[in-house]
Amino acid sequence: MPYKCPYCDFESLNKKNLEFHIKEEHPREIEKEKRKGEDKVEKGKSKEINDFSRGLHGENVILTFLDGSQIEGKMKGYSRYELLIEPKNDEEEIVVFKGAVKTLKKV
Ligand SMILES: [Zn+2]
């Protein structure tokens, strides 16, 4: 069975030749495919946090950020991209970008 190029009519009996062909003839398609994959991962992640934050409304949570720092406080609300947290130490409410959050844990 020949290996078929997904982007044009090219066929080869050798998988290596096909890989070479794609690299040479369709470099942009490869980039696009890569980016599509990354988008999917990002969307999946934010949906997870969305579903989770909905269930945590009014709960005490610990947020861990990508840089390792943490905040403990009460979930006051959320939007598509942000969480509204009332810190435990009674300081002013803070808006947290979900993209900066690594984990969200119920206390
Ligand atoms: Zn091709």
Side-chain angles (χ1 to χ4, degrees):
M1 265 243 302
Y3 294 93
K4 281 186 183 172
C5 174
Y7 310 115
C8 70
D9 292 334
F10 180 85
E11 282 183 9
S12 173
L13 291 170
N14 183 305
K15 199 181 174 188
K16 279 262 174 309
N17 283 349
L18 175 62
E19 284 170 2
F20 184 76
H21 159 84
I22 292 175
K23 245 190 219 166
E24 288 297 304
E25 301 294 324
H26 310 291
R28 276 204 237 133
E29 276 79 357
I30 297 174
E31 275 305 304
K32 252 189 246 163
E33 289 295 317
K34 260 195 222 157
R35 254 180 267 136
K36 235 193 257 167
E38 282 162 18
D39 280 356
K40 258 182 225 153
V41 170
E42 276 306 304
K43 267 180 206 150
K45 188 186 160 202
S46 66
K47 186 177 180 293
E48 227 170 73
I49 293 184
N50 268 341
D51 291 347
F52 200 49
S53 47
R54 195 166 295 144
L56 288 172
H57 194 228
E59 301 273 4
N60 287 313
V61 293
I62 295 178
L63 295 172
T64 306
F65 296 98
L66 295 177
D67 67 358
S69 60
Q70 291 188 322
I71 291 182
E72 186 171 348
K74 192 188 263 184
M75 276 274 295
K76 298 280 286 181
Y78 61 90
S79 71
R80 195 165 160 202
Y81 300 108
E82 300 150 332
L83 303 169
L84 186 62
I85 305 290
E86 184 184 271
K88 210 185 177 187
N89 55 16
D90 280 335
E91 279 174 19
E92 270 182 67
E93 292 172 345
I94 49 168
V95 173
V96 173
F97 285 100
K98 286 177 185 171
V101 177
K102 194 171 155 202
T103 61
L104 181 60
K105 208 164 58 182
K106 199 171 151 181
V107 181

